Amino acid sequence: MASDSIKVFCPATVANVSCGFDVLGLALDTVGDEMTLTKTNSGEVRITEILGQDLPLEADKNVAGVAVKALLEKGGFKNGIDIKIDKRIKPGSGIGSSAASSAGAVWAVNHLLGTPFDTLDLVRFAMEGEKLASGAAHADNVAPALYGGFTLVRSYDPLDIIKIDAPAELHATVIHPQIQVKTADSRNILKQSISLKDGIKQWGNLGGLIAGLYTQDYALIGRSLEDHIVEPLRAILIPQFQEVKQAVLEAGALGSGISGSGPSIFALSEGTENAEKVAEAMYQVYSKTGIEFDIHRSPINPSGVKIL
Amino acid sequence: MASDSIKVFCPATVANVSCGFDVLGLALDTVGDEMTLTKTNSGEVRITEILGQDLPLEADKNVAGVAVKALLEKGGFKNGIDIKIDKRIKPGSGIGSSAASSAGAVWAVNHLLGTPFDTLDLVRFAMEGEKLASGAAHADNVAPALYGGFTLVRSYDPLDIIKIDAPAELHATVIHPQIQVKTADSRNILKQSISLKDGIKQWGNLGGLIAGLYTQDYALIGRSLEDHIVEPLRAILIPQFQEVKQAVLEAGALGSGISGSGPSIFALSEGTENAEKVAEAMYQVYSKTGIEFDIHRSPINPSGVKIL
């Protein structure tokens, strides 16, 4: 008999990854939410408890609730679902806090129901949660949360997602300065047009990064982590961004950039030891600012949401 | 004793490949120039003969002459070189006619001199030829001519080129309508800025194409052959472009687009049989136009310039 309850780990994610604005994302392995989902006879989707953060318990105002409802409706399921969330990713951090809840919830419910949907379907449901969170149905955080590794959203219409395994020694280090940057604000700062010249640089780098991942060429991955489009505009919203970037590169990072819409800053590096040096470099810069911050250090999560 | 003379095949190439404007190219295997280069004691670079086309014999006005001089100068070589060109790629065709001559010449001279330079160096010398031909030192044709397969120019400064092997069954079919479209004109039609939205589509597709090449996923390669940036502007310069594109897709092509700056139109397909159907579809459309045309059908060239 299948269990009626499941506890899952829902990874934090880094979207954009410098050269892949709106299309690329990667999943972290050591930071994420924990959620317990239970099939009930209530006929209702209920958020029964949220630990760690002050977020809405009303299902229609909670990203996990909205995403699960989209799944149940699409499948014609009449089940009730109780959702308990241990929210370990801080909202507004830029490492996919809402996406983790949406992705984890639909993955778990799909499992409880005997996996009627494939991963691409789950991305669609989770995107409904993202729509509630940011006003737009983005996939660049929910896709890596569900697939793991790196994900490329080749196209939204039709939705076409490619999972790319990360080289085994690739690590991400992320610093989350605890300042508030609203996703809407950091989108408004963007320009609606870009120069063709910068566009060419961007798709050259995106191609280089994808090639580097497939060939496990760490140096190529590093050279490709450039962003001539978004970083120059958004970096000013993040205190000490340039200082952190310079410090982590000097400490041996392959590259560094803004995680999602910020304020978190990510760096990629080869091997645990380098990732530790990078974390130390981030710490040195930020400990002087008086701003509270968290630092996460993680290999790339290979397969996304998982059962605990 | 190394030979003082060498005869080489210099492949035609398709630049841009829909989603890779200015960064991507591929090499053809059945169409190309043939060149014979001989080391002499004259101390001069001489174009001794050009078969097939009416092109300048003066070395400083010939792309092969300029490229070879750049190589000799960089290496401090005092040798004379005689160059005989059997020009089988029509100039202005959009399949890298000048690039084939530049690339073939420097590759052959490097071989005659005992390969003092690596392939990336040769790209730099060949780019000097491209500068003479089009006013700009592009690498998107000379790189695939020298490396073979697909090449990605990740960056021009510093020059960073990634070779990507093509899946074995991938074929290119190219129709060259014999109308004149000057590279300068087809560049002038471009806009200097693009919408961020179109940019996102482009780097999504470029990433998809690179992923498709590494994973030998022909369907993904096909889905990624979209161009929202350049094709909508340049297609109007090519008679029957939309009709050809529609016909080849119906005939089983994976995708189709403008080769380089045109007027040639390329299509990719899986397997010889499909490539033949695509060639037939191209023929059917163009045979009604009264415009003279050539059709080339070829596997992807695996390794670029080669000794005959």
Side-chain angles (χ1 to χ4, degrees), chain A residues 44-50 53-69 81-83 85 101 129 132-133:
Chain A
E44 280 180 63
V45 174
R46 297 184 298 210
I47 315 292
T48 55
E49 192 179 4
I50 301 178
Q53 294 293 329
D54 185 24
L55 291 168
L57 282 169
E58 200 182 321
D60 286 335
K61 292 183 178 169
N62 182 292
V63 298
V66 167
V68 167
K69 282 190 165 189
I81 300 287
D82 282 358
I83 305 173
I85 308 174
S101 297
L132 176 73

Side-chain angles (χ1 to χ4, degrees), chain B residues 80-130:
Chain B
I81 300 288
D82 281 358
I83 306 173
K84 183 182 150 185
I85 308 174
D86 185 354
K87 195 81 201 134
R88 299 176 175 207
I89 311 170
K90 294 192 177 86
S93 54
I95 51 170
S97 178
S98 62
S101 297
S102 307
V106 295
W107 190 92
V109 170
N110 191 49
H111 188 87
L112 289 172
L113 297 173
T115 63
F117 295 108
D118 66 19
T119 309
L120 192 63
D121 291 326
L122 298 183
V123 171
R124 287 194 183 92
F125 303 137
M127 284 168 72
E128 293 298 312
E130 288 293 80

Side-chain angles (χ1 to χ4, degrees), chain B residues 172-184:
Chain B
T173 311
V174 179
I175 180 164
H176 171 212
Q178 286 166 34
I179 57 165
Q180 199 181 4
V181 178
K182 285 188 183 163
T183 303

